[in-house]
Amino acid sequence: MKRDLQSRGQQEPAIVTADGILINGNRRTAGLRALWEAGELSARYVSCLVLPADATTYELVDLEAELQVANSLKQDYSWVNEAMLIEELYDRAQKNWEHVANRMHRTVADVRGMYDKLQQLHQLVELSGGTRLHLDFVENESVFDELSKYIKNKPQQEADSVRAVYFLGALTGTPYRQLRHLRRADSAQLVLNEMAEDVTMRPILEAADAATPMASDDLLDDLVGSSEPFSPLHGLLAFVAQKRPEANIVLDDGDRVQVRDVLTSIGSSIMTAADEAKEEDRDQSALQAPLVRAGKAIDELKRVVAALPRARRYPEWDEAEFAKRVAELNELLDKIR
């Protein structure tokens, strides 16, 4: 951009409010400022369009949506920025999804999906007590996307369990493709079982249990609307979410362990639990495969029985060929028996 500004100059004006707040053109302004500081005299000023003094906040949000998101020539927002803008538009449009979709030049399903995954991120940030920021999770879009879609129509206990695992996955940087194997009602217990078998994690679990569990439960209740915490990972989740990676945890024996190392251990437990769940799913699929395929074969044979009388009325019908097929079916049935 700096090279382009230097060779061609500023092609599009920035946009500022009447009282001088820049709402579009941040990158161009930063580029011109850098050129000016480097001695480029032509970059002394930024050309701007000034909005009317009576422009409302609602109009400014609409304009930002149009300029910063809908225009594909602009630098992309992060998903967090875009979702927050969608949320603001939604609130200002009296919960009108059609209006939001039109302003964002996207479908209603798209903007609702962005809104839903932001609500999950809100919960994790709130749970951290300000230790974590929304923009800390820009790289975790797929985690929150899959989480919001999966738990939408699930029983609260299952949703709560999967949410806790996915939140820990976001904190530890666990790949979302691994987390997919833990989208099940007992996912939190599977992960906790893995941690309990790790001798290095046992003191951490004890410290998490001792760290004001009632306060953590109350906060989680507010977030998920539950009268009780269903997930056995809630205490640990609240414990690590409220600490920066560079902080230390003091254990019962006085030893100190860095939160970053704890997150690494938790991530390893999640990965192991995901691998075991994946293998279990494969075994279950192998166990059910004969029944599933037999069911499909039965359905097809029922269609054959229904179609056979009509087919036999045609002169071109080949009864001998059909008899061969029936004989082949009998051979297969003998093998099954």
Side-chain angles (χ1 to χ4, degrees):
M1 172 172 280
K2 285 169 61 179
R3 285 194 297 269
D4 184 67
L5 287 169
Q6 194 169 27
S7 62
R8 299 196 306 142
Q10 183 183 352
Q11 297 296 302
E12 294 183 49
I15 298 178
V16 296
T17 62
D19 51 357
I21 298 175
L22 186 68
I23 68 167
N24 181 258
N26 289 284
R27 294 176 69 234
R28 275 165 285 166
T29 301
L32 289 167
R33 181 184 293 114
L35 290 174
W36 167 252
E37 292 173 349
E40 183 69 42
L41 298 180
S42 63
R44 182 176 182 180
Y45 296 106
V46 180
S47 297
C48 297
L49 294 176
V50 182
L51 295 173
D54 60 354
T56 66
T57 303
Y58 182 85
E59 290 171 331
L60 295 179
V61 172
D62 258 8
L63 181 60
E64 184 180 11
E66 184 69 29
L67 294 172
Q68 296 286 10
V69 180
N71 190 339
S72 62
L73 297 178
K74 304 296 182 185
Q75 183 188 39
D76 290 340
Y77 267 12
S78 74
W79 77 270
V80 175
N81 294 129
E82 186 173 0
M84 284 184 167
L85 184 55
I86 286 171
E87 183 179 55
E88 185 170 358
L89 284 169
Y90 179 61
D91 290 339
R92 293 184 179 278
Q94 287 79 48
K95 316 299 184 183
N96 186 329
W97 283 119
E98 290 288 346
H99 175 83
V100 178
N102 289 336
R103 297 311 300 166
M104 300 297 292
H105 293 231
R106 301 181 66 169
T107 66
V108 170
D110 284 344
V111 294
R112 292 193 70 165
M114 294 289 289
Y115 179 89
D116 288 344
K117 62 187 173 186
L118 179 64
Q119 303 318 299
Q120 298 303 316
L121 177 54
H122 281 333
Q123 292 189 23
L124 180 52
V125 171
E126 180 69 19
L127 179 62
S128 76
T131 302
R132 309 281 178 159
L133 304 176
H134 288 79
L135 291 179
D136 290 335
F137 300 98
V138 168
E139 302 301 322
N140 303 107
E141 179 178 6
S142 295
V143 170
F144 293 98
D145 185 43
E146 292 193 351
L147 171 62
S148 64
K149 291 176 180 176
Y150 181 78
I151 67 174
K152 185 170 294 184
N153 298 312
K154 293 295 185 293
Q156 184 176 349
Q157 185 168 351
E158 181 174 353
D160 207 29
S161 178
V162 173
R163 181 187 290 110
V165 171
Y166 266 68
F167 280 2
L168 282 174
L171 291 169
T172 59
T174 304
Y176 71 93
R177 290 183 177 86
Q178 287 294 104
L179 293 173
R180 285 175 179 171
H181 302 298
L182 293 169
R183 291 183 294 187
R184 43 191 284 179
D186 61 345
S187 58
Q189 189 62 53
L190 290 176
V191 173
L192 185 61
N193 292 343
E194 290 299 329
M195 293 180 188
E197 293 179 7
D198 184 349
V199 294
T200 64
M201 277 300 301
R202 291 173 190 168
I204 304 300
L205 294 174
E206 293 172 359
D209 287 340
T212 59
M214 290 304 297
S216 298
D217 290 351
D218 290 343
L219 179 55
L220 282 161
D221 291 348
D222 291 340
L223 294 176
V224 302
S226 171
S227 59
E228 59 176 311
F230 287 112
S231 168
L233 287 177
H234 277 162
L236 177 66
L237 172 59
F239 185 66
V240 297
Q242 294 169 11
K243 295 175 174 58
R244 295 298 302 173
E246 62 274 10
N248 289 317
I249 296 173
V250 180
L251 304 178
D252 290 343
D253 59 6
D255 287 346
R256 292 175 177 269
V257 59
Q258 196 168 50
V259 174
R260 184 177 285 106
D261 295 332
V262 173
L263 293 175
T264 298
S265 296
I266 293 174
S268 296
S269 295
I270 294 174
M271 293 284 284
T272 302
D275 288 339
E276 292 183 0
K278 181 180 179 180
E279 289 302 317
E280 185 179 323
D281 289 342
R282 285 177 177 173
D283 292 343
Q284 189 65 26
S285 296
L287 180 65
Q288 295 296 322
L291 294 175
V292 172
R293 293 182 182 278
K296 292 180 179 179
I298 290 171
D299 290 339
E300 287 300 316
L301 285 173
K302 288 179 179 178
R303 293 187 178 95
V304 171
V305 171
L308 188 58
R310 182 179 179 182
R312 280 175 167 162
R313 290 200 293 266
Y314 289 93
E316 298 86 0
W317 169 252
D318 190 340
E319 187 69 34
E321 180 62 27
F322 182 68
K324 289 181 182 179
R325 303 290 175 88
V326 173
E328 186 177 352
L329 285 172
N330 284 325
E331 288 179 4
L332 292 172
L333 287 172
D334 288 340
K335 290 180 180 180
I336 291 174
R337 297 189 188 98

